Amino acid sequence: MSRIYNPKFCLPAGEVIATLENKSFRIVNLKLLRLTSDEVKSLSENHTDFSSIPRLLSELSGRIVIALELMGANACELLNEFIYGSKGDDVLSNPDLFMLTTNASDSLKQANKIFGYPGGMNYLGAPLLKNTTLSIIRPHAVSDGLTGKIWNAIKEKGFCVTAARLYRLSKADAAEFLEVYKGVVQEYPEMLDQLSSGPCIALEIGFPDPNVNVHQTFREFTGPIDPEIAKFLRPDTLRAVFGVDKVRNAVHCTDLPGDTELEVNYFFNNLDK
């Protein structure tokens, strides 16, 4: 297991994540957050290169970062080679990517602090909740290693991710979130099973231009609920490109404009408590 940090909001996070997924790393946890200087110091307690700590404080403190917990064979050693060593490429050999330790034990301690495992601190993100909407990368897409490609497609369309976190929803959590579809959508039982079947990634979606109606524009970009229909009518939409069927259609998006704040709050405030 290992951690990697991305301190610049404009860095192509989707491209980085897709590259890691292509190299057989599995995303165990993900969170977009803003670290304080004290939190950076806490995460640097076991950092072996003390000369770089001032730079870490400068680069990470008070900025939006993306923290990833990754799993794979010899993950710490390989990731260190990809970022700092001879195995790097144009995406991973990037000065804006950090590993705070190459030791698996210390890496787990950092995960405890960032992702809120039992006994650990829980560094929270901060959703904007203003002209934003919710998208969820469904468990089947996360499992299939599509997180980075979907994130990148969202960015290339001009949207920005303003909050993000990986969740493992219980059946009860998924039922509460999907309650509006119960008795309305025929595939509701299968939708419930899918959303609670493994890790999903919730994204708060915004747009740089405040005059853009983010909910409407992103809903159009998500596409029809059935990927087969989407491929015929809207072939460039997320569900057309990444979806499999009506249940495994890659991404959820908020349906009604009045529900955007409710859905964003459900994940980034209610579930984060």
Side-chain angles (χ1 to χ4, degrees):
M1 290 180 287
S2 190
R3 301 305 79 67
I4 181 171
Y5 299 86
N6 170 352
K8 291 190 177 179
F9 190 52
C10 59
L11 192 76
E15 190 176 357
V16 171
I17 294 169
T19 300
L20 291 168
E21 289 174 318
N22 288 339
K23 294 182 182 298
S24 299
F25 288 100
R26 183 164 65 89
I27 299 174
V28 178
N29 262 310
L30 178 152
K31 186 188 288 189
L32 188 151
L33 65 162
R34 189 186 298 272
L35 294 172
T36 67
S37 58
D38 286 341
E39 289 168 341
V40 175
K41 290 176 183 176
S42 175
L43 292 171
S44 305
E45 286 177 351
N46 298 305
H47 197 51
T48 53
D49 182 7
F50 292 102
S51 64
S52 66
I53 290 180
R55 177 178 173 241
L56 292 177
L57 285 168
S58 173
E59 291 288 339
L60 297 177
S61 298
R63 299 192 182 188
I64 294 174
V65 306
I66 297 174
L68 296 175
E69 181 182 4
L70 305 170
M71 183 173 288
N74 300 315
C76 286
E77 180 181 344
L78 281 177
L79 193 58
N80 185 60
E81 278 293 312
F82 287 134
I83 295 177
Y84 303 117
S86 58
K87 293 185 179 181
D89 54 26
D90 290 341
V91 176
L92 297 184
S93 296
N94 189 310
D96 293 324
L97 299 179
F98 294 87
M99 283 184 70
L100 295 185
T101 180
T102 57
N103 179 280
S105 177
D106 291 339
S107 195
L108 182 58
K109 293 176 183 177
Q110 290 174 348
N112 291 344
K113 294 177 180 179
I114 294 173
F115 299 108
Y117 292 165
M121 298 170 65
N122 192 4
Y123 298 178
L124 297 178
L128 295 181
L129 296 172
K130 184 177 181 180
N131 193 25
T132 59
T133 192
L134 182 78
S135 179
I136 303 172
I137 302 177
R138 297 191 186 277
H140 79 91
V142 175
S143 176
D144 289 343
L146 296 176
T147 298
K149 292 179 180 179
I150 291 173
W151 193 311
N152 204 42
I154 291 170
K155 177 182 178 295
E156 288 182 348
K157 199 66 175 179
F159 297 97
C160 51
V161 175
T162 53
R165 184 164 183 182
L166 183 148
Y167 294 91
R168 292 171 177 83
L169 298 184
S170 67
K171 204 66 164 291
D173 289 334
E176 184 177 17
F177 180 74
L178 295 173
E179 185 177 7
V180 66
Y181 299 101
K182 188 175 182 179
V184 177
V185 177
Q186 183 178 355
E187 293 81 12
Y188 170 79
E190 291 80 8
M191 290 170 58
L192 182 60
D193 288 340
Q194 166 57 209
L195 193 57
S196 58
S197 66
C200 65
I201 296 177
L203 306 173
E204 184 191 36
I205 305 295
F207 201 87
D209 184 350
N211 296 313
V212 170
N213 184 322
V214 176
H215 167 265
Q216 178 182 336
T217 307
F218 187 78
R219 190 167 182 267
E220 291 172 356
F221 176 53
T222 299
I225 190 171
D226 188 336
E228 290 303 317
I229 295 176
K231 289 173 185 177
F232 181 73
L233 296 178
R234 309 278 297 282
D236 295 329
T237 57
L238 291 174
R239 286 170 174 163
V241 175
F242 301 107
V244 179
D245 53 40
K246 290 178 71 174
V247 174
R248 295 172 298 163
N249 59 5
V251 291
H252 162 87
C253 71
T254 305
D255 282 327
L256 301 176
D259 289 343
T260 54
E261 187 171 334
L262 182 68
E263 290 197 358
V264 171
N265 261 319
Y266 181 79
F267 277 91
F268 295 105
N269 286 322
N270 295 358
L271 291 181
D272 261 1
K273 290 181 179 179

